[in-house]
Amino acid sequence: MRKKIGAKLGFASIMALSLVTAACSSQNAENGVPEDGKPMPVSIMSMYFTPEPPGEDNVIIQEIEKRTNTDLNITWVSPNSYGDKVNVTLASGEIPDLMLVDDPFSAQVRTMVKQGAFWDLTPYLQDYPNLSGFPKESWINTKQADGKNYGIPRVRPVEGGPFLFLRKDWLDNLGMEIPETTDEFYEVLKAFTKNDPDGNGKDDTIGFTGLVNQSNMGSYGAIVSAFTQNTGDWKDVDGKLVNVNLLPEMRAALEWLSKAYAEGLISEDLAVLKESQTKDQLNAGRAGAAVNTVEAAWEPMEANLKSNPDADFLPLVSMNGWTNKDGGFFGMFVIPKTVSEEKMKKLLELMDYGASEEGGTLASYGLEGVHYTEENGIKMATDKAKTDIVGSQALGQIFMNYDKYMRAYRGGMPLEIFERNKKIIDERAEISVPDRAIGLYSETNISVGPELAKNIQDMKTKIILGKLSLSDWDQFVEKLKNDSDLQKITDELNQAYADRKAEQ
């Protein structure tokens, strides 16, 4: 299998070199910026989380085009297939002017960066005040191996990221308290599944809905991290990074999850479930808990309020005294070297506008008086906002003005929920733990890391589904401890970790 991965990387390298060659000829021929004042054509690829993507005639796209003198050609891709689309597009060499790569540190992206396929934006960013005003974590954590920035972070707050939320109204119906430990959370999920929490007299609810990915725990990562007390796969133990899969806490987490699966408390089809399907379960009032950002809990709450005025989806502050601190980004927008330097600067200018208060508001909320009204500092979405597909879940995925409480509010949310969310974010900030290894470079991890991660996740999934036992996991961990590739990755990451700490 590793030979196959090597072949893929080799192909990516060839494509990267072809991009650099194409860039030279492109820049010699045409800079891509109209000289007659006509709108500059801009191709973009990004994802959307709305039921449908904005069309070419979208009123906000047209307004952004007018204000920036651009002609935007946006390829919208569902989050369910975005990773695959990125891989195919990068390999094809037909890369848009601005392309969201959901994983800035994938083997393919790393290799293409090394081969010079993307613009190094580091020396230019100081000229764009809104972009350079992003949190320092956003830029530090998206640096590549050479310490340079080859993309514009899709900026996100460091607090309020994906974590557990649950049906507070179901807790109240059952006379239960908000869980603070994984043991208490287990009992809540059990009651949500078996004790008719919605009171409809039917056995039609499930405790937790979520999915696992091919290379990580996906929705269940928050539960696992509550056991490991760590964000990510690498934990700082006495100043050194240790892979969490080798720790006994990981075994305890798998034992918890396998038991929950056996009792039917979590998604039966977690290995094949799509993100859209988990949303459907929540919106239909069938699931009592899930994982998402603080403000995203409003989406299923709003859906359920239509039929149940007491519906309340509450984001939790912590579990076992732990919560995660995010890296300040969710992917990054790269600019290929096929784009001329002059156009690259214009693209940075466009993204800087999108990061301004005016641009960010326009993208996420639309036109005041048409798509939203403002009262007490809260922007309330109108029905027109939905029909025009205006919101942070669409164009707000491309253009976003940074706000500490970005993950506290979503269009249409009442003031009391917004204030509650801000309080939750502030409480999380006091205890949140960052991913210590985010963005750290390991040459070995590029070549064999993806296969290793898939093998580890495959083992975890089989344990949870009951296809293998915890004894099998114990044997697997012993082999993992002696795996030469993992040992080399550990050494390389620790060297990069030491270098990073020395720079700070």
Side-chain angles (χ1 to χ4, degrees), residues 2-68:
R2 291 178 183 172
K3 288 183 179 179
K4 291 182 180 179
I5 289 178
K8 290 182 180 178
L9 290 175
F11 179 67
S13 300
I14 292 171
M15 291 310 306
L17 288 171
S18 68
L19 280 170
V20 175
T21 303
C24 296
S25 60
S26 174
Q27 291 179 54
N28 290 334
E30 183 182 356
N31 63 26
V33 180
E35 296 181 355
D36 54 5
K38 291 183 179 180
M40 180 179 72
V42 179
S43 57
I44 303 174
M45 187 173 111
S46 184
M47 64 175 70
Y48 67 96
F49 293 89
T50 46
E52 296 179 10
E56 293 181 3
D57 59 347
N58 181 273
V59 64
I60 302 304
I61 292 178
Q62 293 176 346
E63 185 65 24
I64 292 174
E65 290 176 329
K66 183 173 70 174
R67 298 188 189 188
T68 60

Side-chain angles (χ1 to χ4, degrees), residues 10 30 70 92 157 170 172 176 224 255 280 298 348 351 419 423 461 465:
E30 183 182 356
T70 55
S92 73
W170 285 9
D172 295 340
M176 303 183 77
V224 170
E255 183 177 15
D280 290 343
W298 169 249
L348 288 177
M351 295 299 279
E419 293 299 331
K423 184 172 183 289
T461 302
L465 298 181

Side-chain angles (χ1 to χ4, degrees), residues 97-114:
D97 299 328
L98 284 163
M99 176 177 169
L100 174 67
V101 291
D102 54 338
D103 181 2
F105 306 114
S106 70
Q108 192 174 24
V109 172
R110 290 273 203 188
T111 300
M112 295 181 73
V113 164
K114 190 175 181 180

Side-chain angles (χ1 to χ4, degrees), residues 101 103-115 118-122 138-152 329 331-332 334 438-442 446 496 500 503:
V101 291
D103 181 2
F105 306 114
S106 70
Q108 192 174 24
V109 172
R110 290 273 203 188
T111 300
M112 295 181 73
V113 164
K114 190 175 181 180
Q115 297 294 339
F118 309 121
W119 273 101
D120 170 15
L121 305 178
T122 313
S138 302
W139 294 106
I140 291 173
N141 291 333
T142 51
K143 287 182 177 180
Q144 293 292 318
D146 59 3
K148 298 177 181 179
N149 288 107
Y150 291 87
I152 303 164
F329 71 97
M332 68 181 186
V334 296
I438 190 169
L440 293 180
Y441 180 71
S442 162
I446 284 183
R500 175 183 286 178
E503 293 174 357

Side-chain angles (χ1 to χ4, degrees), residues 305-365:
L305 282 171
K306 295 175 182 177
S307 58
N308 178 3
D310 296 322
D312 186 4
F313 286 74
L314 175 69
L316 299 184
V317 171
S318 64
M319 183 61 59
N320 292 345
W322 175 92
T323 193
N324 60 298
K325 182 187 290 290
D326 279 5
F329 71 97
F330 183 13
M332 68 181 186
F333 285 90
V334 296
I335 302 175
K337 273 297 194 75
T338 47
V339 170
S340 71
E341 182 176 16
E342 184 176 354
K343 185 170 184 178
M344 177 269 292
K345 292 179 180 179
K346 288 290 186 180
L347 293 172
L348 288 177
E349 189 176 310
L350 170 65
M351 295 299 279
D352 193 67
Y353 171 77
S356 69
E357 183 175 358
E358 177 187 315
T361 299
L362 179 61
S364 291
Y365 300 104

